[in-house]
Structures are given as C-alpha cells and as structure tokens.
Amino acid sequence: MADLSRKVGEMEYDALIIGDIPHRRVGCGTIRATEAETTFRRGTVLSKSSADNKLVILGTEPAEGETLTPDCILCDDIIVESDTTTAVYTAGCFNSNKVITAEGYTITAEDADALRKYDIVLQSAATM
C-alpha cells in the first residue's frame, strides 16, 4: 500500500498549450528521414507532403512537384534520422510564441488558416 502515494515523475509547464478549445486531439504521423540525425523539439509545426504524405518542419523548401501543407504540431522531442512515426497534435489551441518552424521562417496568415482547417489554433499569449 505504501507505493500508492509515491511520486512517479514531474512535469514542467512550457506554455505551448494555452487553451482547451478546440479540444486537443493526438494522432500519429511519419516524419521524413533527414540527412543527418536531427532533434525535433516539442511544439514543432509540421507540414505534410503531397508526394509521400510524410511530415517535414514548416518552412522546408518543397521538392519539385511537391506541395507542403501545414498539418500538425509535434507532441514530444524526438530524434530523427530515418522515417520516424511519432505522436502529433492534430487539434488544439497553441501559443504562437512557443511553436517552432524552420530556421528563419515566420508563420504566415496562410499557414495559420491552413492549420485552423484542422482545428489547430495559434494565439499569442504571455510567455513564462
């Protein structure tokens, strides 16, 4: 009975999720292989490729004949080298100041509209 009240872990608030509506929904997606081992951080906005339905970080240049559409947000940190299936948020309300995109890329109004179609809302909020 002593084990029923032991501490099993800790959670640190990262201010990524800032609202309950729309309700968070988690699914899975496959992140496309990278040339070198790459760490993707929680909160990375991912785009889906029209060519292979795999995910890449928002702001990646599309290959010839490929369309990249903003699709979801990464749930947890992950290391990617080969195609990797992982948990992603497919809906929810997220802090626009905490989401991550490709280096030098800024989320556009079109990106935010595309995400909103999937019930992913980006809102500005005070950060901790």
Side-chain angles (χ1 to χ4, degrees), residues 57-88:
I57 189 168
L58 179 63
T60 301
E61 281 295 318
E64 189 174 324
E66 176 183 53
T67 302
L68 297 175
T69 306
D71 186 72
C72 56
I73 297 177
L74 188 61
C75 289
D76 299 301
D77 293 355
I78 189 167
I79 297 172
V80 175
E81 188 170 3
S82 59
D83 289 353
T84 305
T85 301
T86 188
V88 293

Side-chain angles (χ1 to χ4, degrees), residues 2-126:
D3 284 352
L4 293 177
S5 63
R6 70 181 169 88
K7 184 177 180 178
V8 293
E10 290 185 21
M11 185 183 121
E12 194 171 307
Y13 181 63
D14 63 5
L16 175 64
I17 298 170
I18 59 169
D20 289 333
I21 298 175
H23 299 289
R24 283 178 304 285
R25 193 171 52 242
V26 176
C28 65
T30 301
I31 297 176
R32 184 185 291 160
T34 56
E35 291 179 13
E37 188 175 275
T38 305
T39 300
F40 285 67
R41 299 282 174 213
R42 169 180 161 81
T44 299
V45 182
L46 300 168
S47 295
K48 186 176 276 188
S49 168
S50 62
D52 59 8
N53 284 328
K54 293 185 180 163
L55 302 170
V56 297
I57 189 168
L58 179 63
T60 301
E61 281 295 318
E64 189 174 324
E66 176 183 53
T67 302
L68 297 175
T69 306
D71 186 72
C72 56
I73 297 177
L74 188 61
C75 289
D76 299 301
D77 293 355
I78 189 167
I79 297 172
V80 175
E81 188 170 3
S82 59
D83 289 353
T84 305
T85 301
T86 188
V88 293
Y89 291 110
T90 58
C93 185
F94 300 91
N95 186 342
S96 61
N97 298 317
K98 292 291 185 172
V99 294
I100 301 166
T101 61
E103 179 109 15
Y105 187 81
T106 302
I107 295 176
T108 65
E110 291 82 18
D111 295 334
D113 285 344
L115 289 167
R116 200 171 301 116
K117 290 177 187 175
Y118 298 107
D119 277 342
I120 294 176
V121 177
L122 300 177
Q123 293 183 344
S124 182

